[in-house]
Amino acid sequence: MVSEVLILGGGLAGASAALELARADVPVRLLERETGPHHKVCGEFLSIEAQHDLRRLGLDPVRLGAVPVDRVRLVSGGTRIEAALPFQALGLSRKCLDEALLEAAQSEGAQVERGVKVIALEEGKIATSTGSRTAERVFLATGKHEIRGARRDAGSGADYIGFKMHWRLAPRRMSEVGSAIELAPFDGGYAGLQCVAHDVLNLCLLVRRERFARLGGHWEDLLAELMRAPHLERLLGDAEAVFSRPLTIANLPYGYVCDPVSPLPPGVFRLGDQAAITAPLTGDGMAIATRSARLAVACLRAGSGPAEYHGKLQELVRSQVTRAMLLQRAVELPLAIRCVAGLLGLWPGVLGRLAGMTRLAQVPPM
Ligand SMILES: Cc1cc2nc3c(=O)[nH]c(=O)nc-3n(C[C@H](O)[C@H](O)[C@H](O)COP(=O)(O)OP(=O)(O)OC[C@H]3O[C@@H](n4cnc5c(N)ncnc54)[C@H](O)[C@@H]3O)c2cc1C
């Protein structure tokens, strides 16, 4: 009899792996620390690659309420450049998407335990808030959160803070955003805005920690800085904030790609953000989550161990992460942005081409 696979974390990576394993009749148990549906810091830009993987799993994001995103707009100072995306993306709340995946996994037979927090990976066992567990094969999919015994190398990308806020906008303001993802670079960071439901706008941004401190160290200070841009002032000035406080995340090792030879307890496969963290700017983190899940399941079913899986995953994601990080650094440089904006003003189509150049590769056949 095949032994049970234990999945730690029920986000996009963990839930899609659970669904795929359950469908293949592999016994699977998933531990998720939250007790119910919850919001996450995410731009909620669902790339074509992520959509493809979700549809392959039988989930239609449009039926879950996703709205189309088919244009990209760069707004910087007085410059506003817009171009068609080379693919049709979608905007969808993670609260809704992740929950739908978890429910699908459960209905296919995955055992889902909610409200169980993983504390540490130790030799031969996993310490959790409800006692210790054992499993021969473990999928570590706790996303941004570090687990004792499996910490990631923080590298040089960890000095950003991420914020997310949903806003309810009047229909005339929603139509100003339309079906575009809007990128608004500012000194020390950048913001991304897009619709994620017919009346909800997601504002998600990354700011350097020292810049945030210089601004005053509060969300209100950051928002005031953003709203110095007239179009954001107009858009958000009379909008209703959906959360009482923004969601935040810090200390993420952007640019990290797991090393196949890094020490981990035996039988542990890293998935999603535990395996690689790309620059949010290119909106491919969710695709890395779904693709790593697919690859881990394929490796496990083919009898390959974690080292082989991590090697294949590194090949799959490394160049996307490198290109995305380069683009993110360029967006932060005011001079680079002015030059790029000038060039894009002459050839707006290049903006869409840039979006196309940072996509993730296909999972290799096993
Ligand atoms: C600012 C920002 C903007 C982004 N924008 C985009 C975007 O627009 N498009 C895109 O594709 N990607 C984007 N990303 C990346 C994307 O959000 C992630 O890559 C993706 O969520 C990774 O999925 P995951 O399943 O690995 O982790 P997560 O989605 O974080 O899921 C991890 C799960 O594990 C659970 N968990 C955590 N710790 C424990 C524990 N100790 N015990 C038990 N359970 C635990 C959590 O509750 C959660 O449900 C963005 C990221 C950031 C930071």
Side-chain angles (χ1 to χ4, degrees), residues 11-13 32-33 40 43-45 94 118 142-143 272-273 283 285-286:
L12 222 48
E32 165 57 47
R33 69 174 179 180
K40 282 181 180 150
E44 301 179 328
F45 174 90
R94 290 293 302 276
V118 177
T142 51
D273 278 359
M286 288 194 263

Side-chain angles (χ1 to χ4, degrees), residues 129-150:
S129 55
T130 57
S132 65
R133 315 287 180 107
T134 52
E136 276 173 31
R137 280 125 1 131
V138 175
F139 283 2
L140 177 58
T142 51
K144 297 145 184 74
H145 304 272
E146 296 294 359
I147 299 294
R148 191 149 45 83

Side-chain angles (χ1 to χ4, degrees), residues 54-98:
L54 290 169
R55 291 202 172 98
R56 198 185 141 269
L57 287 170
L59 236 79
D60 180 357
V62 174
R63 292 188 69 178
L64 297 174
V67 294
V69 178
D70 52 17
R71 303 191 68 73
V72 54
R73 186 181 300 138
L74 179 70
V75 185
S76 171
T79 315
R80 183 186 163 100
I81 302 147
E82 194 168 318
L85 279 172
F87 50 84
Q88 158 114 8
L90 294 170
L92 177 63
S93 156
R94 290 293 302 276
K95 183 176 173 185
C96 168
L97 175 60
D98 291 27

Side-chain angles (χ1 to χ4, degrees), residues 9-312:
L12 222 48
S16 43
L19 176 53
E20 189 135 359
L21 286 169
R23 287 238 172 97
D25 289 328
V26 178
V28 54
R29 180 173 300 274
L30 182 150
L31 310 180
E32 165 57 47
R33 69 174 179 180
E34 301 287 342
T35 51
H38 54 283
H39 286 287
K40 282 181 180 150
V41 177
C42 185
E44 301 179 328
F45 174 90
L46 206 49
S47 68
I48 190 74
E49 295 79 13
Q51 290 175 54
H52 176 268
D53 290 349
L54 290 169
R55 291 202 172 98
R56 198 185 141 269
L57 287 170
L59 236 79
D60 180 357
V62 174
R63 292 188 69 178
L64 297 174
V67 294
V69 178
D70 52 17
R71 303 191 68 73
V72 54
R73 186 181 300 138
L74 179 70
V75 185
S76 171
T79 315
R80 183 186 163 100
I81 302 147
E82 194 168 318
L85 279 172
F87 50 84
Q88 158 114 8
L90 294 170
L92 177 63
S93 156
R94 290 293 302 276
K95 183 176 173 185
C96 168
L97 175 60
D98 291 27
E99 189 58 20
L101 260 181
L102 258 188
E103 278 174 8
Q106 206 162 6
S107 69
E108 291 286 341
Q111 302 296 314
V112 175
E113 294 185 38
R114 294 173 188 252
V116 181
K117 184 174 180 196
V118 177
I119 298 163
L121 292 193
E122 294 160 353
E123 196 73 37
K125 67 176 195 287
I126 297 117
T128 80
S129 55
T130 57
S132 65
R133 315 287 180 107
T134 52
E136 276 173 31
R137 280 125 1 131
V138 175
F139 283 2
L140 177 58
T142 51
K144 297 145 184 74
H145 304 272
E146 296 294 359
I147 299 294
R148 191 149 45 83
R151 292 195 193 285
R152 291 161 297 188
D153 172 16
S156 57
D159 53 354
Y160 293 95
I161 309 180
F163 290 86
K164 165 174 148 177
M165 175 58 95
H166 277 181
W167 302 87
R168 190 153 283 117
L169 262 62
R172 69 180 194 290
R173 297 280 179 235
M174 289 302 278
S175 61
E176 276 181 40
V177 182
S179 61
I181 164 117
E182 189 165 305
L183 298 172
F186 59 90
D187 181 11
Y190 59 89
L193 298 100
Q194 67 170 43
C195 301
V196 290
H198 76 279
D199 62 344
V200 178
L201 179 85
N202 183 6
L203 166 70
C204 193
L205 58 93
L206 270 194
V207 59
R208 288 219 175 247
R209 188 185 293 277
E210 48 84 21
R211 174 70 178 141
F212 182 58
R214 268 193 288 127
L215 284 170
H218 296 102
W219 164 243
E220 290 73 16
D221 304 318
L222 186 56
L223 202 53
E225 173 67 12
L226 278 182
M227 302 240 269
R228 286 177 50 200
H231 80 290
L232 289 182
E233 215 290 316
R234 195 177 60 245
L235 208 58
L236 301 178
D238 55 4
E240 176 201 340
V242 174
F243 317 139
S244 56
R245 300 291 307 157
L247 278 79
T248 61
I249 186 99
N251 301 323
L252 285 189
Y254 294 103
Y256 154 86
V257 177
C258 68
D259 182 344
V261 294
S262 75
L264 269 178
V268 177
F269 296 67
R270 287 187 188 272
L271 270 59
D273 278 359
Q274 281 291 323
I277 302 200
T278 191
L281 182 73
T282 56
D284 240 350
M286 288 194 263
I288 292 181
T290 52
R291 297 231 153 144
S292 62
R294 191 170 151 195
L295 184 62
V297 171
C299 284
L300 184 128
R301 295 187 67 201
S304 313
E308 197 177 328
Y309 157 72
H310 290 129
K312 284 186 191 297

